[in-house]
Amino acid sequence: MPLYRCVVPELFLFVSFLGVSNCAAEDWYRWRGPDGDGISRETDWKCDWAGEGPDIAWSRSVGTGFSSVVVKDDRVFTLGHVDDQDKVYCINVADGEIIWTFGYPAELDDRDFEGGPISTPTIDGDRLYVMGRAGELFCLQISDGSKMWGINVADEAEVRLPGWGFSAAPLVIGDRLLLNVGESGVLVDKHSGDLIWSSDDRECGYASPVLIPNSDPTVAVIASGKAYIGVDVQSGEQLWAERWLTSFNCNAADPIFHDGKMLLCSGYNRGAALFDIGGTTPELIWKSKEMKNQIHTSILYQGYLYGIDGDMEAGARLRCMDWATGEIRWSVDDLRPGGLAMADGKLLLLTEPGELIIAPATPDGWEPIARGQVLDGKSWTSPVLSGGRIFCRSIQGQLVCIDCRD
Amino acid sequence: MPIQRRSFLAGTAAAATLASAPAIHAASKNKQYRTALIGAGWWGMNILREAMAGGQTKVVALCDVDSDRLEINAEEVTDLSGDTPRIYRDYRELFEKEDVEIAIIATPDHWHALNALAAIQAGAHVFIEKPTGHTIGESQAVLAASQAADRLVQVGLHRRIGPHHVSGMKFLKDGGAGDIGLVRMFVHSRGGAEKPTRNSEPPENLDWDMYCGPAPLRPYCRRIHPGGFRHFLDFANGTLGDWGVHWLDQMLWWSDQQSPDSVHSTGGRPIAGQAVLNDEEQTTDAPDHQTATYEFDSFTATWEHRKFAGQGPEQTSIGCYFFGTQGTFHIGWRDGWTFYPADSKKQVIHQDAELQEPDGHNLKLLYADFLRAIETGSRPVADITVGHQATTLALLGMLSMKLGRSVRWDAGAQQIVGDDEANGMLRRKYRQPWSYPEIG
């Protein structure tokens, strides 16, 4: 079942601090973090939980859903479904107090899964962009949650909803907002919501759009139901389509780019493939059935992919795969992984039953250094580390803030 | 094992044939069987992979009503073997155009008989998934046709050959549990109320009319396909028609294929809720729990499944208990087999399962046995007579539950005794233009 999903490396006018060991708190302003790789650059956090267990600073109910959180200026934002509404929550990181909420009418739509919103909002300056499952798109003022504009982007673009609804995070590109809606995306003006271009009325996938680093003209790769498509962001033109079929049109993992190569990965026995994207169309380097990301995008770190392989309902595996060759280095089959993040060379694994496990990210194996129960109930959302705290969320809407500051 | 390749065709349908794709072959014997897979889904591909890994399979064709699945799975066949199978939407066209020596059939249950009969008519030996029919008459037709044409049919009852099943059965037949008076077969899982799934237009890649085939044409919803047909009674027979066939077969194996004198079953959907089927939405309609009692001359066998409450206080959630004078013998799935002596001072005896992962089957052994049977002209271990009998018992349970009374079964005559209404339920009405298979 595809779920919450979201953002992407936006290397647009973005000054990267790559390579600099940056200990300062870092805003996690979008899905998969500032670098769009699922890795926090923070180092000032600790996980010596022996004895007491993790320090849960606060716990808040944010409604049913799979949305992850974004964090800026000591405020944390997420989405959840409560009483016939999807609600956007703005919560004070320090004490867990709700600063504001913004609701819009929405169905829980819990056919086939628990329901509720499945995308993660995106922060851009003093604005928050929110995408609902049925195509609702809002621009909110971060300070007080007031609505700057709102549209239904599926209606505007006259395209159908995918089976489980829209799940991609909005991607800010300069003055534009790129959405995974329609066959190969929709671009709107981020200041007004006006449509700039749209794509054909075909099922979109569930992955968030990702820009190919250093591409000129800027190219985004967008998951449709049946392909990953290279799109010229300026014009919306499809430059190439890498056919990529799964059951249920469920392409949910974001493409990963590194060193002139692109990794695609889906569940339902699709598997993974690495492509050279140096030419006009992707050229296959290797493919493998050994990594099948049904929902979660893998994390690439020092030449190795760390990812969740297999069907979440049936019990997935945590695996380490060599980026260059596709060889599996290790696999842990009995963890019941629910979501994955990374910081300071360590994997942060949230298990489906709500345990948070910390282990060094190494191809040599899975050797946890800390673990603790942080949630009660099914958890399929990636944890987020920002400002020395780890945020974890269950499907039923328990959001906890774990204080890991030194 | 990752497949290294440096060739790529953007947007082409089936994968390009690549000289560099490594063929995966076991120690190859000379004979390569031209093999077609009908129903190229999850389980069909499990069988086909084992067939290919066995080294005597040349995949000539795949058939499915879902063009996406065909494309994905044809690509996988090419990756694994270097062969480029031709792809078909309609099995009739496949048998018309291809020279098939072995047909693997893994479609939804309501297609099994028509697919198998076409394969037999085309001269192929058949590896067919259980059950061997959606109604008893279909299974009877497959049995009769295969015998008349002298074609081998191996039924996908891999628990006939799995190592712990073989050793467990030896333990039982050697009298390890003493005299058996009662066999209890069961599968339990967790679950609750079922919410309807919204109907939608069938996906563009799915030939929904052909999917439904001889079954009623109902609105499409994604809960049905892929992989959800088992709990829609138009297409299958719920848990008893799925898991039940395996465990009934274990009981029949132990009893040397005896037949029950009478069958009685009840079940319903008190937890899942009333089945829904309208223009807007639908649910499954198979029972969320069911019990069935099979009365044999010298013992009683019961079936029980529920899709709620989980394992509960018991040690296991799946398998068969054989209750005997010496104690209780459990044969299971991932938990192997265990004997609990009636005399508590005696040691519990246990044997672990040996299964092929990720799906926990023993298809490799079953397929090898099938090929051995073809080569030697002997009977395969789970041949059609075996599969037909286990299928019949499952379907008699379904029939009794729907009918609301017990039925007496005459295995020789292949009929229900003295109940015209019940006998009428051995067949079903087919949707035009499909015709119900007749014997002879």
Side-chain angles (χ1 to χ4, degrees), chain A residues 110-112 160 163-164 202 226 242-243 245 247-248 269-270 282-287 289 325, chain B residues 2-3 5 8 49 68-69 71-72 75-76 79 195-198 204-205 222-223 226 281:
Chain A
D110 58 348
R111 291 174 174 91
D112 308 337
R160 72 193 73 178
W164 285 277
R202 293 194 182 278
K226 297 198 189 294
E242 181 59 41
R243 200 160 163 80
L245 299 174
S247 308
F248 309 109
N269 204 41
R270 172 73 268 183
E283 187 178 313
L284 185 67
I285 297 167
W286 58 254
K287 62 177 170 175
K289 296 274 189 196
T325 65
Chain B
I3 290 159
R5 277 219 201 150
F8 173 72
R49 275 186 219 106
D68 279 7
R69 306 206 67 81
E71 191 179 319
I72 295 169
E75 182 184 333
E76 185 175 349
D79 289 344
K195 293 199 170 59
T197 301
R198 197 183 296 121
E204 292 148 11
N205 48 285
R222 69 165 179 253
R223 179 165 291 201
E281 58 187 20

Side-chain angles (χ1 to χ4, degrees), chain B residues 114-438:
Chain B
L114 291 182
N115 294 162
L117 292 166
I120 291 163
Q121 195 178 6
H125 297 294
V126 177
F127 185 106
I128 188 175
E129 254 317 306
K130 51 76 188 149
T132 49
H134 176 262
T135 44
I136 290 170
E138 291 177 351
S139 185
Q140 290 168 340
V142 175
L143 174 65
S146 64
Q147 289 173 336
D150 196 24
R151 295 292 86 185
L152 288 178
V153 177
Q154 175 87 298
V155 183
L157 293 164
H158 53 91
R159 291 180 170 80
R160 272 269 162 165
I161 203 164
H164 83 272
H165 296 276
V166 172
S167 68
M169 214 42 72
K170 182 175 188 315
F171 178 89
L172 271 182
K173 291 194 177 208
D174 288 349
D179 296 332
I180 309 291
L182 174 66
V183 183
R184 181 175 155 231
M185 307 163 284
F186 57 97
V187 173
H188 300 311
S189 56
R190 292 165 52 189
E194 183 189 349
K195 293 199 170 59
T197 301
R198 197 183 296 121
N199 299 334
S200 58
E201 283 298 308
E204 292 148 11
N205 48 285
L206 180 66
D207 183 342
W208 180 238
D209 188 272
M210 190 70 177
Y211 183 100
C212 293
L217 184 69
R218 67 195 286 144
Y220 168 82
C221 84
R222 69 165 179 253
R223 179 165 291 201
I224 301 172
H225 174 80
F229 63 88
R230 287 177 184 78
H231 301 289
F232 292 84
L233 297 181
D234 279 349
F235 306 129
N237 279 286
T239 308
L240 179 52
D242 176 26
W243 273 111
V245 183
H246 279 294
W247 302 116
L248 283 159
D249 184 54
Q250 298 285 293
M251 179 272 294
L252 289 167
W253 185 10
W254 158 76
S255 76
D256 296 324
Q257 308 298 136
Q258 293 179 39
S259 278
D261 304 317
S262 75
V263 179
H264 177 244
S265 176
T266 60
R269 294 172 56 94
I271 300 299
Q274 183 101 36
V276 174
L277 175 61
N278 57 43
D279 290 345
E280 293 300 307
E281 58 187 20
Q282 58 185 307
T283 60
T284 65
D285 54 3
D288 63 22
H289 78 288
Q290 186 174 7
T291 59
T293 304
Y294 299 86
E295 292 286 358
F296 291 80
D297 280 351
S298 60
F299 68 95
T300 304
T302 64
W303 162 259
E304 183 185 304
H305 93 262
R306 55 180 154 70
K307 293 162 71 73
F308 49 89
Q311 188 169 308
E314 301 199 23
Q315 302 202 16
T316 178
S317 59
I318 189 164
C320 302
Y321 288 127
F322 292 83
F323 299 100
T325 50
Q326 297 298 313
T328 301
F329 177 86
H330 172 256
I331 190 134
W333 177 21
R334 294 188 186 279
D335 48 2
W337 65 260
T338 310
F339 176 63
Y340 305 88
D343 179 349
S344 59
K345 292 192 287 296
K346 289 187 176 161
Q347 282 286 325
V348 168
I349 305 171
H350 172 79
Q351 176 146 353
D352 284 342
E354 292 174 51
L355 302 165
Q356 290 170 263
E357 296 305 346
D359 296 314
H361 53 70
N362 290 115
L363 287 168
K364 179 182 179 164
L365 293 167
L366 193 66
Y367 207 86
D369 174 77
F370 176 47
L371 296 187
R372 197 164 40 242
I374 293 171
E375 277 159 18
T376 60
S378 58
R379 269 170 53 135
V381 70
D383 86 334
I384 183 65
T385 54
V386 161
H388 170 65
Q389 197 176 350
T391 297
T392 300
L393 263 56
L395 298 184
L396 284 171
M398 295 305 287
L399 188 151
S400 166
M401 182 188 74
K402 292 176 190 169
L403 193 64
R405 59 178 176 264
S406 61
V407 293
R408 288 168 56 215
W409 179 242
D410 181 339
Q414 286 284 300
Q415 279 209 319
I416 290 163
V417 181
D419 189 334
D420 289 346
E421 187 186 1
N423 272 320
M425 294 167 72
L426 298 177
R427 304 160 59 96
R428 79 154 155 179
K429 198 169 168 1
Y430 269 16
R431 185 169 66 102
Q432 291 299 326
W434 304 98
S435 336
Y436 198 89
E438 300 296 341

Side-chain angles (χ1 to χ4, degrees), chain A residues 114-188:
Chain A
E114 292 82 352
I118 52 182
S119 77
T120 297
T122 301
I123 299 168
D124 178 47
D126 59 355
R127 302 289 165 87
L128 183 75
Y129 295 100
V130 177
M131 182 86 208
R133 266 173 79 195
E136 308 91 338
L137 178 67
F138 295 101
C139 171
L140 307 178
Q141 188 78 22
I142 277 188
S143 55
D144 58 4
S146 56
K147 183 172 83 172
M148 309 306 291
W149 55 261
I151 59 169
N152 186 303
V153 71
D155 292 348
E156 297 284 330
E158 295 178 338
V159 296
R160 72 193 73 178
L161 274 57
W164 285 277
F166 296 108
S167 71
L171 173 63
V172 178
I173 308 169
D175 288 328
R176 309 283 192 241
L177 211 49
L178 180 59
L179 308 153
N180 189 354
V181 169
E183 186 183 38
S184 55
V186 167
L187 193 75
V188 302

Side-chain angles (χ1 to χ4, degrees), chain A residues 202-322:
Chain A
R202 293 194 182 278
E203 253 191 71
C204 64
Y206 301 91
S208 293
V210 186
L211 299 181
I212 298 181
N214 310 316
S215 49
D216 184 19
T218 307
V219 177
V221 175
I222 294 182
S224 78
K226 297 198 189 294
Y228 280 78
I229 302 171
V231 177
D232 180 333
V233 172
Q234 189 67 31
S235 64
E237 184 196 350
Q238 292 190 11
L239 303 173
W240 49 261
E242 181 59 41
R243 200 160 163 80
W244 195 258
L245 299 174
T246 67
S247 308
F248 309 109
N249 290 341
C250 186
N251 289 325
D254 305 351
I256 298 176
F257 298 96
H258 173 65
D259 197 21
K261 299 180 182 67
M262 170 177 77
L263 182 104
L264 300 183
C265 191
S266 293
Y268 304 102
N269 204 41
R270 172 73 268 183
L274 189 72
F275 299 86
D276 188 318
I277 51 169
T280 49
T281 58
E283 187 178 313
L284 185 67
I285 297 167
W286 58 254
K287 62 177 170 175
S288 164
K289 296 274 189 196
E290 299 299 315
M291 183 68 89
K292 299 175 292 293
N293 293 162
Q294 184 191 24
I295 292 165
H296 297 282
T297 311
S298 293
I299 294 174
L300 174 64
Y301 178 68
Q302 294 184 348
Y304 293 93
L305 286 157
Y306 298 88
I308 296 174
D309 166 67
D311 186 274
M312 298 288 290
E313 286 292 355
R317 295 159 289 279
L318 184 68
R319 291 190 148 182
C320 170
M321 181 184 236
D322 189 322

